[in-house]
Amino acid sequence: MEVINENAAMLSNYEVLTLLKELQSQNGASKGKSGKIQQNLATISYETVTYLEKTPCKYQSPEIIQKLLQELAPFSLTKAEKLQLLNHCPTTAVEIQLMIEESEERLSEEEIDKLLDVIARCLPGEPEEEQEGEGEGEEEGLVGEEEEGQEEGEEEEGVQGEEEGDKEGEDGEDEQEDEEMEAEEAIEVIED
Amino acid sequence: MSKFRVMFVLAEMTDTVRIEPWLFHLKLNDAIKFELHKKLANKVVHNVGLCIALHDITKLDDSHVIPGDGASHTKVHFRYVVFRPFIEEILVGRIRSCSREGVHVSLGFFDDILIPPDSLQQVSRFDETEQVWVWQYESEDGTHDLFMDINEEIRFKVVDEVFVDTTPVGPEDLAEPVQDPLLENQPKKSPYSLVGSISEPGLGLLTWWT
């Protein structure tokens, strides 16, 4: 067996999830000898799908991804950085700094906020069923499939909906104490 | 230099696929798909990564039947979805166990991730009674002990990858986590393992930063 190119293309989590679900439904539908359960494929598919369903890509579709890429165009990010944003859906400035190299030099605070806003707007937290769409020019061509709405009721890490993390430069101060304080403040507000 | 930038990549490979006569009733593409999955799914290819599933077949050369062997042999060009996070990538997994060697993290489909003691948040210590690592977080009010418990979700950065060329062995059950924190962890010879770090702001247990 020969490896021609070990890194022929990058894949978004969404594409991998779609491919695996398609394979699962094919294997489930086929009968007879060819429907023999391939243990390894079944194991790895199941585990990978389980992992990916806990990430934001569960709610994505080709149209959403295309829209996001269009909106990200003015920020001059590399392909890989855009892909990371797509896969992780950061909601805080700290996460952006982790994913984008030298983000402090390349992006002003305003731009980071704008970036977070674009991501929050384009990448949904609710499941949507989308029909086939065109694949993005940068990614592999996708044959859009109907997303099987598998809602396991698990929360994604990326979309917490809490914008506390927007305070930049707060290194590790967001501890459980802060949570308690905010809870107290919230209670105070309600009582008022 | 790391030219890989995301978790999953497409690897182009070729192989000569052998199809036994009793699979001749299948369409050639299906039989080949079947064989490639049998051979590669959930297996590590040295210096490539963990193979997940077949993406597509790009080219099929002519099939031949070799004298003395009833099966057909076809050279296939195909692309496989491979898991291979890049150095510096941020991932989220679950803590599988803690030992003196560090914190063992699992992604469910991939288990061999270790965060060594040096790459934990400073200052951290290993608690012998509970067999967990503890981050001694210092703030104005004093030191807080933050326990890194099993099954907690943890965000880490990949800092290194190790490929070990193991001679052909049976498939390792990468999907089954081993939870036995009381036993000393034997040095595992896994073909592909990752080294992680959580020593930066934003990394570590998800509960620390929300």
Side-chain angles (χ1 to χ4, degrees):
Chain A
M1 192 180 79
E2 247 182 76
V3 178
I4 307 289
N5 185 353
E6 60 204 12
N7 189 24
M10 302 187 283
L11 293 174
S12 64
N13 288 4
Y14 168 75
E15 287 172 292
V16 177
L17 183 62
T18 312
L19 177 75
L20 288 177
K21 281 202 191 160
E22 201 186 309
L23 279 176
Q24 279 182 339
S25 63
Q26 277 176 11
N27 279 344
S30 57
K31 301 156 253 190
K33 289 187 208 152
S34 61
K36 188 164 68 177
I37 303 165
Q38 297 189 270
Q39 196 50 47
N40 275 335
L41 179 63
T43 307
I44 191 78
S45 301
Y46 172 72
E47 294 287 352
T48 309
V49 167
T50 309
Y51 178 82
L52 288 176
E53 296 228 310
K54 291 191 244 164
T55 63
C57 74
K58 182 177 165 195
Y59 300 127
Q60 292 168 359
S61 75
E63 290 89 359
I64 291 175
I65 295 175
Q66 201 168 22
K67 180 153 168 260
L68 177 74
L69 289 173
Q70 281 166 357
E71 302 230 0
L72 286 181
F75 289 96
S76 41
L77 301 170
T78 65
K79 219 197 311 194
E81 287 167 346
K82 289 189 245 191
L83 200 34
Q84 268 208 295
L85 294 178
L86 174 66
N87 281 346
H88 289 278
C89 287
T91 48
T92 66
V94 177
E95 291 173 278
I96 302 255
Q97 276 170 11
L98 281 175
M99 291 174 201
I100 300 182
E101 278 176 61
E102 296 169 11
S103 60
E104 289 153 357
E105 293 175 16
R106 287 159 58 188
L107 301 170
S108 67
E109 268 191 46
E110 267 183 45
E111 291 182 306
I112 293 187
D113 281 339
K114 266 201 284 182
L115 193 50
L116 287 171
D117 186 52
V118 165
I119 295 171
R121 265 190 300 116
C122 295
L123 297 175
E126 297 297 311
E128 294 169 28
E129 269 197 0
E130 297 283 347
Q131 296 300 321
E132 13 185 294
E134 293 298 308
E136 322 80 29
E138 305 180 6
E139 314 282 341
E140 296 297 319
L142 286 179
V143 176
E145 301 277 331
E146 234 179 303
E147 278 197 23
E148 304 160 36
Q150 293 185 4
E151 292 148 52
E152 306 185 324
E154 294 188 12
E155 291 179 348
E156 324 135 39
E157 325 122 18
V159 188
Q160 294 282 348
E162 294 169 352
E163 298 294 335
E164 354 167 312
D166 268 343
K167 310 161 203 162
E168 281 187 48
E170 241 182 304
D171 298 334
E173 307 304 319
D174 297 331
E175 286 305 321
Q176 288 158 354
E177 300 180 338
D178 279 358
E179 267 186 90
E180 286 167 36
M181 273 168 52
E182 279 178 36
E184 286 171 7
E185 284 167 28
I187 294 169
E188 285 171 20
V189 168
I190 295 169
E191 283 176 339
D192 282 346
Chain B
M1 178 191 79
S2 164
K3 45 178 188 154
F4 314 102
R5 299 299 295 174
V6 285
M7 211 157 78
F8 294 105
V9 295
L10 219 48
E12 267 179 33
M13 303 192 261
T14 64
D15 192 20
T16 303
V17 175
R18 185 170 174 273
I19 300 172
E20 316 265 287
W22 48 88
L23 291 177
F24 282 175
H25 68 284
L26 294 173
K27 289 207 294 237
L28 183 60
N29 278 23
D30 288 342
I32 290 184
K33 223 163 127 173
F34 182 80
E35 290 293 325
L36 286 176
H37 277 141
K38 190 162 96 176
K39 184 165 181 173
L40 289 176
N42 207 8
K43 306 253 178 76
V44 170
V45 175
H46 190 58
N47 282 339
V48 176
L50 172 67
C51 295
I52 309 280
L54 180 70
H55 185 265
D56 58 356
I57 297 172
T58 50
K59 188 165 130 184
L60 285 176
D61 292 341
D62 290 337
S63 305
H64 301 276
V65 177
I66 297 178
D69 180 1
S72 80
H73 298 251
T74 318
K75 182 155 184 209
V76 185
H77 301 246
F78 59 96
R79 295 189 296 190
Y80 223 89
V81 176
V82 171
F83 169 68
R84 183 177 186 175
F86 62 95
I87 309 299
E88 308 263 315
E89 177 158 10
I90 311 290
L91 295 174
V92 177
R94 281 191 185 271
I95 296 184
R96 189 156 61 88
S97 65
C98 288
S99 73
R100 294 214 145 271
E101 291 170 13
V103 178
H104 302 264
V105 179
S106 159
L107 297 177
F109 60 94
F110 184 76
D111 271 1
D112 298 309
I113 304 170
L114 176 68
I115 305 178
D118 300 337
S119 308
L120 298 174
Q121 293 270 6
Q122 293 307 315
V123 170
S124 291
R125 63 173 171 88
F126 186 59
D127 187 315
E128 289 288 351
T129 30
E130 308 245 352
Q131 290 282 308
V132 284
W133 282 93
V134 185
W135 179 26
Q136 294 175 293
Y137 169 63
E138 305 228 352
S139 72
E140 300 96 37
D141 337 359
T143 315
H144 304 272
D145 274 351
L146 298 170
F147 284 78
M148 304 183 61
D149 293 320
I150 291 183
N151 268 334
E152 287 286 339
E153 290 196 291
I154 181 170
R155 182 183 287 137
F156 62 98
K157 180 187 263 203
V158 177
V159 294
D160 200 10
E161 61 184 9
V162 182
F163 277 106
V164 176
D165 195 3
T166 54
T167 48
V169 292
E172 287 182 304
D173 200 356
L174 296 172
E176 212 175 56
V178 172
Q179 289 194 18
D180 208 341
L182 295 181
L183 280 184
E184 276 229 282
N185 276 332
Q186 304 295 321
K188 292 178 290 190
K189 214 176 69 161
S190 49
Y192 178 42
S193 51
L194 297 174
V195 179
S197 159
I198 55 164
S199 56
E200 287 175 42
L203 298 178
L205 263 61
L206 293 189
T207 49
W208 294 349
W209 303 101
T210 52

